[in-house]
C-alpha cells in the first residue's frame, strides 16, 4: 500500500469483475460514442453522414459505474429516464494515434452495457449548446456486465444486440450496423487521448431507446458477449 496520507479515506477504485478470473478490471475512464447506429441517429433527429462526419464522444465518471444485476433508484431531476443498450470495449494496452490495423491489440475484452440517460436533461443541453453532463454523467448511469476477455473472439464485426423491458423487446439490431466499427473508433479516439489499460468505451446504441419507470426490469443481450440486467427502484 502507498504511504500517502489523505485528509479522508479515498474512494475505492471503480472496477468490474472479469469472467474466469478472480482479479478485477480497474476502470480508468469511461468514453461513450454518440450516434453510432443510423436508425438511432435518425430517431434522435440527427442523422449521420459518415462521408462528411466524424464520430463524437462524451464521458462518464468512473464512479458512475454499476454492476449488472443491480437495482438503482429512479434518478433525481428527470421525468424521462432512458435505457441505451451498448457493446462495451475494454482497453488492456496503451495506444496513442494507433492505426485501424494496429487497433485490435488494444482490446482486453468486451462487455454488455447500459448507457442510462436522463433524456430530458440531455436534450435541453443539446438544444441549448450546453454540455451533456447532467443528462449522461450521473450516479449509477454506467451499467456493465463482467468483462469477457477477448480470447478467440477477435474484433467483433457482427452479432445480435437487443434489449427487453419487462420481457418486451424494445431494441433489436446487429453489431454489423455500427457506423464506426471498433478499429475505426479506437483509431479515431486515440488521436485525441492516450488510451490506457482500464479505459472502457461504450460504442453507441441502436434505435428503440425509450423511458423506464420504477419497478421496470431491463435485460439486454449481445451474442457471444453477455447479458446485462437492471431493475429500476423507487425514486430517492
Ligand atoms: Mn449511448
Amino acid at each position: 500500500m502507498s504511504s500517502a496520507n489523505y485528509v479522508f479515506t479515498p474512494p475505492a477504485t471503480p472496477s468490474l469483475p472479469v469472467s474466469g478470473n478472480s482479479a478485477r478490471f480497474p476502470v480508468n475512464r469511461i468514453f461513450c460514442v454518440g450516434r453510432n447506429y443510423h436508425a438511432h441517429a435518425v430517431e434522435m433527429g440527427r442523422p449521420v453522414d459518415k462521408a462528411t462526419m466524424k464520430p463524437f464522444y462524451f464521458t462518464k465518471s468512473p464512479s458512475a459505474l454499476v454492476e449488472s444485476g443491480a437495482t438503482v433508484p429512479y434518478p433525481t431531476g428527470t421525468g424521462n429516464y432512458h435505457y441505451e443498450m451498448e457493446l462495451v470495449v475494454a482497453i488492456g494496452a496503451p495506444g496513442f494515434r494507433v492505426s485501424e490495423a494496429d487497433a485490435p491489440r488494444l482490446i482486453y475484452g468486451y462487455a454488455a452495457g447500459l448507457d442510462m440517460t436522463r433524456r430530458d436533461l440531455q436534450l435541453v443541453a443539446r438544444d441549448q449548446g450546453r454540455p451533456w453532463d447532467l443528462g449522461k454523467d450521473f450516479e449509477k448511469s454506467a451499467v456493465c456486465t463482467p468483462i469477457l476477455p477477448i480470447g478467440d473472439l477477435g474484433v467483433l464485426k457482427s452479432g445480435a444486440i437487443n434489449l427487453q423491458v419487462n420481457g418486451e423487446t424494445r431494441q433489436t439490431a446487429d453489431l454489423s450496423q455500427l457506423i464506426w466499427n471498433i478499429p475505426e473508433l479506437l483509431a479515431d479516439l486515440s488521436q485525441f487521448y492516450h488510451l490506457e489499460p482500464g479505459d472502457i468505451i461504450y460504442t453507441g446504441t441502436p434505435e428503440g431507446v425509450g423511458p423506464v419507470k420504477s419497478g421496470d426490469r431491463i435485460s439486454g443481450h449481445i451474442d457471444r458477449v453477455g447479458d446485462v440486467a437492471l431493475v429500476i427502484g423507487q425514486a430517492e
Side-chain angles (χ1 to χ4, degrees):
M1 290 296 289
S2 160
S3 60
N5 191 24
Y6 297 105
V7 297
F8 55 85
T9 303
T13 298
S15 65
L16 290 165
V18 176
S19 297
N21 194 327
S22 60
R24 295 175 67 89
F25 183 94
V27 173
N28 184 44
R29 290 175 292 190
I30 304 175
F31 295 103
C32 303
V33 183
R35 301 175 201 146
N36 202 19
Y37 290 82
H38 283 297
H40 172 64
V42 168
E43 76 180 348
M44 297 304 292
R46 296 288 193 276
V48 171
D49 177 3
K50 190 177 181 182
T52 59
M53 298 167 79
K54 300 264 287 172
F56 74 94
Y57 311 93
F58 57 91
T59 58
K60 295 195 185 220
S61 304
S63 58
L65 265 183
V66 59
E67 288 185 30
S68 175
T71 297
V72 300
Y74 192 96
T76 187
T78 185
N80 197 19
Y81 177 44
H82 275 210
Y83 54 80
E84 294 190 359
M85 179 68 201
E86 309 201 6
L87 172 69
V88 178
V89 178
I91 301 299
F96 181 53
R97 296 173 178 159
V98 300
S99 66
E100 290 174 30
D102 193 33
R105 71 170 176 81
L106 273 56
I107 303 170
Y108 178 86
Y110 301 105
L114 297 169
D115 165 16
M116 299 304 293
T117 300
R118 294 192 281 213
R119 189 71 72 201
D120 41 2
L121 301 188
Q122 181 209 4
L123 294 185
V124 166
R126 184 191 75 178
D127 294 343
Q128 297 187 348
R130 294 174 177 168
W132 286 12
D133 300 48
L134 286 180
K136 286 293 194 178
D137 183 11
F138 57 97
E139 294 154 10
K140 299 183 176 177
S141 66
V143 185
C144 201
T145 63
I147 306 288
L148 177 66
I150 186 168
D152 297 328
L153 287 172
V155 176
L156 291 178
K157 296 182 173 70
S158 64
I161 176 170
N162 55 61
L163 178 140
Q164 292 78 36
V165 178
N166 303 324
E168 181 179 313
T169 297
R170 301 287 181 85
Q171 294 187 280
T172 182
D174 193 279
L175 298 177
S176 62
Q177 295 171 302
L178 283 166
I179 298 173
W180 285 279
N181 64 31
I182 296 167
E184 289 171 333
L185 290 174
L186 297 181
D188 184 73
L189 188 58
S190 73
Q191 303 301 309
F192 300 95
Y193 298 93
H194 294 74
L195 294 179
E196 298 287 348
D199 292 339
I200 63 175
I201 303 164
Y202 283 64
T203 57
T205 195
E207 70 275 21
V209 299
V212 284
K213 59 186 189 307
S214 296
D216 282 348
R217 296 179 161 274
I218 300 172
S219 57
H221 169 83
I222 302 176
D223 279 358
R224 296 187 293 163
V225 172
D227 296 279
V228 63
L230 188 71
V231 178
I232 313 304
Q234 294 300 310
E236 292 176 309

